[in-house]
Coordinates of all heavy atoms in Angstrom, one line a residue:
L542 N -9.1 -0.5 54.5 CA -10.1 -1.1 53.7 C -10.5 -2.5 54.2 O -11.7 -2.9 54.1 CB -9.7 -1.1 52.3 CG -10.8 -1.4 51.2 CD1 -11.9 -0.4 51.3 CD2 -10.1 -1.3 49.8
C543 N -9.5 -3.2 54.7 CA -9.8 -4.5 55.2 C -10.7 -4.5 56.5 O -11.4 -5.5 56.7 CB -8.5 -5.2 55.6 SG -7.4 -5.6 54.2
E544 N -10.7 -3.4 57.2 CA -11.6 -3.3 58.4 C -13.0 -3.0 58.0 O -13.9 -3.3 58.8 CB -11.1 -2.2 59.3 CG -9.7 -2.5 59.9 CD -9.2 -1.4 60.8 OE1 -9.9 -0.3 60.9 OE2 -8.1 -1.5 61.4
A545 N -13.3 -2.3 56.9 CA -14.7 -2.0 56.5 C -14.8 -2.1 55.0 O -14.9 -1.1 54.2 CB -15.0 -0.6 56.9
P546 N -14.7 -3.4 54.4 CA -14.8 -3.5 53.0 C -16.1 -3.1 52.3 O -16.1 -2.9 51.1 CB -14.6 -5.1 52.8 CG -15.0 -5.6 54.1 CD -14.7 -4.6 55.2
E547 N -17.1 -2.8 53.1 CA -18.4 -2.3 52.5 C -18.2 -1.0 51.9 O -19.1 -0.6 51.1 CB -19.5 -2.3 53.6 CG -19.2 -1.3 54.8 CD -18.5 -2.0 55.9 OE1 -17.8 -3.0 55.7 OE2 -18.7 -1.5 57.1
V548 N -17.2 -0.2 52.2 CA -17.0 1.1 51.6 C -16.7 0.9 50.1 O -16.8 1.9 49.3 CB -15.8 1.8 52.3 CG1 -14.5 1.3 51.8 CG2 -15.9 3.3 52.1
L549 N -16.3 -0.3 49.6 CA -16.1 -0.5 48.2 C -17.3 -0.2 47.4 O -17.2 0.1 46.1 CB -15.6 -1.9 48.0 CG -14.2 -2.3 48.4 CD1 -14.0 -3.8 48.3 CD2 -13.2 -1.5 47.5
S550 N -18.5 -0.2 48.0 CA -19.7 0.1 47.2 C -19.7 1.5 46.7 O -20.5 1.9 45.8 CB -21.0 -0.1 48.1 OG -21.0 0.8 49.2
A551 N -18.8 2.4 47.3 CA -18.7 3.8 46.9 C -18.2 3.9 45.4 O -18.3 5.0 44.8 CB -17.8 4.6 47.8
L552 N -17.6 2.8 44.9 CA -17.2 2.8 43.5 C -18.3 3.0 42.5 O -18.1 3.3 41.4 CB -16.4 1.5 43.2 CG -15.1 1.3 44.0 CD1 -14.5 -0.1 43.7 CD2 -14.1 2.4 43.5
S553 N -19.5 2.7 43.0 CA -20.7 2.8 42.1 C -21.1 4.3 42.1 O -21.3 4.9 43.1 CB -21.9 2.0 42.6 OG -23.1 2.2 41.9
P554 N -21.4 4.8 40.9 CA -21.7 6.2 40.8 C -23.1 6.6 41.3 O -23.4 7.7 41.5 CB -21.7 6.5 39.2 CG -21.9 5.2 38.6 CD -21.2 4.2 39.6
H555 N -23.9 5.5 41.6 CA -25.3 5.8 42.0 C -25.3 6.5 43.4 O -26.1 7.3 43.8 CB -26.2 4.6 42.0 CG -26.0 3.7 43.3 ND1 -25.1 2.8 43.4 CD2 -26.8 3.7 44.4 CE1 -25.2 2.2 44.6 NE2 -26.2 2.7 45.2
H556 N -24.2 6.2 44.2 CA -24.1 6.9 45.5 C -23.9 8.4 45.4 O -24.4 9.2 46.1 CB -22.9 6.2 46.3 CG -23.2 4.9 46.9 ND1 -24.1 4.7 47.9 CD2 -22.7 3.7 46.6 CE1 -24.1 3.4 48.2 NE2 -23.3 2.8 47.4
A557 N -23.1 8.8 44.4 CA -22.8 10.2 44.1 C -24.1 10.9 43.7 O -24.5 12.0 44.2 CB -21.8 10.4 43.0
L558 N -24.9 10.3 42.8 CA -26.2 10.9 42.4 C -27.2 10.9 43.5 O -27.9 12.0 43.7 CB -26.7 10.1 41.2 CG -25.9 10.0 39.9 CD1 -26.5 9.1 38.9 CD2 -25.8 11.5 39.4
Q559 N -27.3 9.9 44.3 CA -28.2 9.9 45.4 C -27.9 11.0 46.4 O -28.7 11.7 47.0 CB -28.2 8.5 46.1 CG -29.0 7.4 45.4 CD -28.9 6.1 46.1 OE1 -28.2 5.9 47.1 NE2 -29.7 5.1 45.6
F560 N -26.6 11.1 46.7 CA -26.2 12.2 47.7 C -26.5 13.6 47.2 O -27.1 14.4 47.9 CB -24.6 12.1 47.9 CG -24.1 13.1 48.8 CD1 -24.2 13.0 50.2 CD2 -23.6 14.3 48.3 CE1 -23.7 14.0 51.0 CE2 -23.1 15.3 49.1 CZ -23.2 15.2 50.5
L561 N -26.3 13.9 45.9 CA -26.6 15.2 45.4 C -28.1 15.5 45.4 O -28.5 16.6 45.7 CB -26.0 15.3 43.9 CG -24.5 15.3 43.8 CD1 -24.1 15.4 42.3 CD2 -23.9 16.5 44.5
L562 N -28.9 14.5 45.1 CA -30.3 14.7 45.1 C -30.9 14.8 46.5 O -31.8 15.6 46.7 CB -31.0 13.5 44.4 CG -30.7 13.3 42.9 CD1 -31.4 12.1 42.3 CD2 -31.3 14.6 42.1
A563 N -30.3 14.1 47.5 CA -30.8 14.2 48.8 C -30.2 15.3 49.6 O -30.8 15.6 50.7 CB -30.4 12.8 49.5
H564 N -29.2 16.0 49.2 CA -28.5 17.1 49.9 C -28.3 18.3 49.0 O -27.3 18.8 48.9 CB -27.2 16.6 50.5 CG -27.2 15.5 51.4 ND1 -27.3 14.2 51.0 CD2 -27.2 15.4 52.8 CE1 -27.4 13.3 52.0 NE2 -27.3 14.1 53.1
Q565 N -29.4 18.7 48.4 CA -29.3 19.8 47.4 C -28.9 21.1 48.1 O -28.3 22.0 47.4 CB -30.7 20.0 46.7 CG -31.1 18.7 45.9 CD -32.4 18.9 45.2 OE1 -32.8 20.1 44.9 NE2 -33.1 17.8 44.9
G566 N -29.2 21.3 49.3 CA -28.9 22.5 50.0 C -27.4 22.7 50.2 O -26.9 23.9 50.2
V567 N -26.6 21.6 50.3 CA -25.2 21.8 50.4 C -24.4 21.2 49.2 O -23.2 21.1 49.3 CB -24.7 21.0 51.7 CG1 -25.3 21.7 53.0 CG2 -25.1 19.5 51.7
A568 N -25.1 20.9 48.2 CA -24.5 20.2 47.0 C -23.3 21.1 46.4 O -22.3 20.6 46.2 CB -25.5 19.9 46.0
L569 N -23.6 22.4 46.2 CA -22.6 23.2 45.6 C -21.3 23.3 46.5 O -20.2 23.3 46.1 CB -23.1 24.6 45.4 CG -23.9 24.8 44.1 CD1 -24.4 26.2 43.9 CD2 -23.1 24.4 42.9
A570 N -21.6 23.5 47.8 CA -20.4 23.6 48.8 C -19.6 22.3 48.8 O -18.4 22.3 48.8 CB -20.9 23.9 50.2
V571 N -20.3 21.1 48.7 CA -19.6 19.9 48.7 C -18.8 19.7 47.4 O -17.7 19.3 47.4 CB -20.6 18.7 48.9 CG1 -19.9 17.4 48.6 CG2 -21.2 18.7 50.2
L572 N -19.4 20.1 46.3 CA -18.7 20.0 45.0 C -17.5 20.9 44.9 O -16.5 20.5 44.4 CB -19.7 20.3 43.8 CG -20.8 19.3 43.5 CD1 -21.7 19.8 42.5 CD2 -20.1 18.0 43.0
G573 N -17.6 22.0 45.6 CA -16.5 22.9 45.6 C -15.3 22.3 46.4 O -14.1 22.5 46.0
S574 N -15.6 21.5 47.4 CA -14.6 20.8 48.2 C -14.1 19.5 47.5 O -12.9 19.2 47.5 CB -15.1 20.5 49.6 OG -15.4 21.6 50.3
V575 N -15.0 18.8 46.8 CA -14.7 17.6 46.0 C -13.7 18.0 44.9 O -12.7 17.2 44.6 CB -15.9 17.0 45.4 CG1 -15.6 16.0 44.4 CG2 -16.7 16.3 46.5
F576 N -13.8 19.2 44.4 CA -12.9 19.6 43.3 C -11.5 19.7 43.7 O -10.6 19.6 42.9 CB -13.4 21.0 42.7 CG -12.6 21.4 41.5 CD1 -12.9 20.8 40.3 CD2 -11.6 22.3 41.6 CE1 -12.2 21.2 39.1 CE2 -10.9 22.7 40.5 CZ -11.2 22.1 39.2
L577 N -11.3 19.9 45.1 CA -9.9 19.9 45.6 C -9.2 18.6 45.2 O -7.9 18.6 45.2 CB -9.9 20.1 47.1 CG -10.4 21.5 47.6 CD1 -10.5 21.5 49.1 CD2 -9.6 22.6 47.1
A578 N -9.9 17.5 45.0 CA -9.3 16.2 44.7 C -8.6 16.2 43.3 O -7.8 15.3 43.0 CB -10.3 15.1 44.8
V579 N -9.0 17.2 42.4 CA -8.4 17.2 41.1 C -7.6 18.4 40.8 O -7.1 18.6 39.7 CB -9.5 17.0 40.0 CG1 -10.1 15.6 40.1 CG2 -10.5 18.1 40.1
T580 N -7.4 19.3 41.8 CA -6.5 20.4 41.6 C -5.1 19.9 41.3 O -4.6 19.0 41.9 CB -6.4 21.3 42.8 OG1 -6.1 20.5 44.0 CG2 -7.7 22.0 43.0
G581 N -4.5 20.3 40.2 CA -3.2 19.8 39.8 C -3.3 19.0 38.5 O -2.4 18.7 37.8
A582 N -4.6 18.7 38.1 CA -4.8 17.9 36.9 C -4.4 18.7 35.6 O -3.9 18.1 34.7 CB -6.3 17.5 36.8
E583 N -4.5 20.0 35.7 CA -4.1 20.8 34.5 C -2.6 20.7 34.2 O -2.2 20.8 33.1 CB -4.5 22.3 34.8 CG -4.3 23.2 33.6 CD -5.4 23.0 32.5 OE1 -6.4 22.3 32.8 OE2 -5.2 23.6 31.4

């Protein structure tokens, strides 16, 4: 993170919304993979 601190802007939810709106063709596939980050929450 010290090498590229600009990535901290990803903490803002507007990046998530912009990505989904701009990439509607792959949005479902991406969300299916993003969900892997919370497997185990149950």
Side-chain angles (χ1 to χ4, degrees):
L542 194 55
C543 293
E544 297 180 353
E547 62 269 24
V548 78
L549 286 171
S550 66
L552 293 172
S553 172
H555 85 275
H556 284 292
L558 296 175
Q559 284 181 351
F560 176 82
L561 293 177
L562 292 174
H564 300 80
Q565 297 181 26
V567 295
L569 278 180
V571 171
L572 287 173
S574 297
V575 165
F576 187 78
L577 295 174
V579 293
T580 53
E583 189 72 10

